[in-house]
Amino acid sequence: MSNSTLNERMVLTNDGAEISWWSTGSGAPLLLIAGQATTHRGWLHVLPGLAENHRVILYDHRGTGRSTSGDRSRFTTRDFAQDAVTVLEAAGVESAAVYGHSMGGRVGQWLAIDSPERVERLALVSTTGGGRMDGPRPAGVDALLASGSPEQMAPLFFSDEFRERHPGVVEEFFARDASISARRDHFLASKAHDAWDQLPLVSCPTLIVHGAADQVTSVASAERMAAYIPEAELWVDPDAKHCPHLDSPQAQDRISAFFAA
């Protein structure tokens, strides 16, 4: 599905940020939450499949894509969760299944903690409850991430085969539709995230999906989250890196089955 087939809508937050959002498909509502400084375009590869059974709602985080920044003090993962509530309200949706990748998973955690009535099911992909328990990344990974170069970062996110077969998907995922200052603020928001003490408050069915070969966020973080969130289910793809939701058909099938339950 191309971006041109989606009808853009805007909603104003209470601090003056304009949030762009889109909706497609029909069925039970499903909210997609993108990762750090990435836009809704990163979901386009899997959107057609999700829209077969769901009314899919997706949006650009404040400061990215078509969304404006508003109050810069609101660049925290907890405040981003309130933006998600604003989008759901604009879509006329009282509650939805929530699907967050990377920083989007951090946002999804706060959404489930602070607004449990809004979240029916929660899928957390390649994410963590916060860096204070994660420890350092493998040598050289931080430098690759800090480079801002899609060419250097892509091997951390996608398999070699996927990059060769789907260069357009990789390009969409790494589209830098945000200013340098907004990207920095997103980085700081993601780095400051710490929901470990509140994760036991997550009360909805939760699926945690992770790649065993993920060097951006260790699979140990996923294992730890599964222990903190009551009755959470953990599914690990033995070969996937940081984007199993895009380049692993097995992960996509597992996530789809979870939302269909």
Side-chain angles (χ1 to χ4, degrees):
M1 181 178 293
S2 69
N3 194 50
S4 62
T5 63
L6 298 172
N7 293 320
E8 180 185 13
R9 298 172 181 138
M10 302 287 291
V11 61
L12 192 67
T13 67
N14 60 13
D15 68 299
E18 293 182 323
I19 305 296
S20 291
W21 65 277
W22 297 260
S23 177
T24 186
S26 61
L30 172 62
L31 178 69
L32 307 183
I33 308 180
Q36 176 185 310
T38 62
T39 73
H40 75 285
R41 291 167 57 187
W43 292 104
L44 297 180
H45 178 58
V46 294
L47 189 56
L50 295 171
E52 288 180 1
N53 299 301
H54 300 276
R55 180 193 175 193
V56 184
I57 301 159
L58 60 170
Y59 66 102
D60 287 344
H61 290 295
R62 61 172 61 216
T64 71
R66 303 273 296 166
S67 297
T68 63
S69 294
D71 181 354
R72 297 306 278 262
S73 70
R74 293 278 297 271
F75 275 65
T76 72
T77 52
R78 204 163 198 170
D79 285 315
F80 292 164
Q82 290 307 303
D83 291 342
V85 171
T86 299
V87 170
L88 288 176
E89 291 175 343
V93 171
E94 293 185 2
S95 63
V98 174
Y99 182 177
H101 171 251
S102 197
M103 190 194 79
R106 294 166 169 86
V107 176
Q109 293 163 34
W110 285 126
L111 187 57
I113 292 164
D114 292 337
S115 303
E117 74 283 358
R118 296 281 186 182
V119 184
E120 296 182 0
R121 302 177 78 80
L122 178 64
L124 303 173
V125 181
S126 305
T127 191
T128 174
R132 72 177 165 95
M133 290 192 182
D134 288 350
R137 294 186 174 108
V141 171
D142 283 337
L144 292 174
L145 294 173
S147 72
S149 165
E151 292 76 17
Q152 294 188 52
M153 292 188 291
L156 297 172
F157 288 71
F158 301 98
S159 68
D160 294 343
E161 179 184 3
F162 188 85
R163 297 200 317 274
E164 292 173 3
R165 294 180 59 191
H166 300 284
V169 176
V170 176
E171 181 181 356
E172 291 274 21
F173 179 82
F174 285 113
R176 283 297 179 239
D177 293 339
S179 67
I180 292 175
S181 62
R183 296 205 303 267
R184 181 192 66 239
D185 288 346
H186 270 251
F187 167 77
L188 293 174
S190 190
K191 183 177 181 181
H193 176 77
D194 189 343
W196 288 115
D197 293 342
Q198 289 79 25
L199 285 182
L201 298 176
V202 175
S203 57
C204 62
T206 301
L207 173 67
I208 298 169
V209 172
H210 216 91
D214 189 351
Q215 297 186 81
V216 177
T217 304
S218 169
V219 69
S221 298
E223 295 167 347
R224 193 175 296 113
M225 279 197 307
Y228 272 68
I229 298 175
E231 299 184 18
E233 178 183 354
L234 173 64
W235 188 87
V236 178
D237 187 306
D239 303 312
K241 298 183 179 181
H242 196 58
C243 284
H245 66 305
L246 296 180
D247 78 352
S248 168
Q250 294 81 9
Q252 293 165 24
D253 289 346
R254 185 65 195 85
I255 293 165
S256 294
F258 171 70
F259 286 132

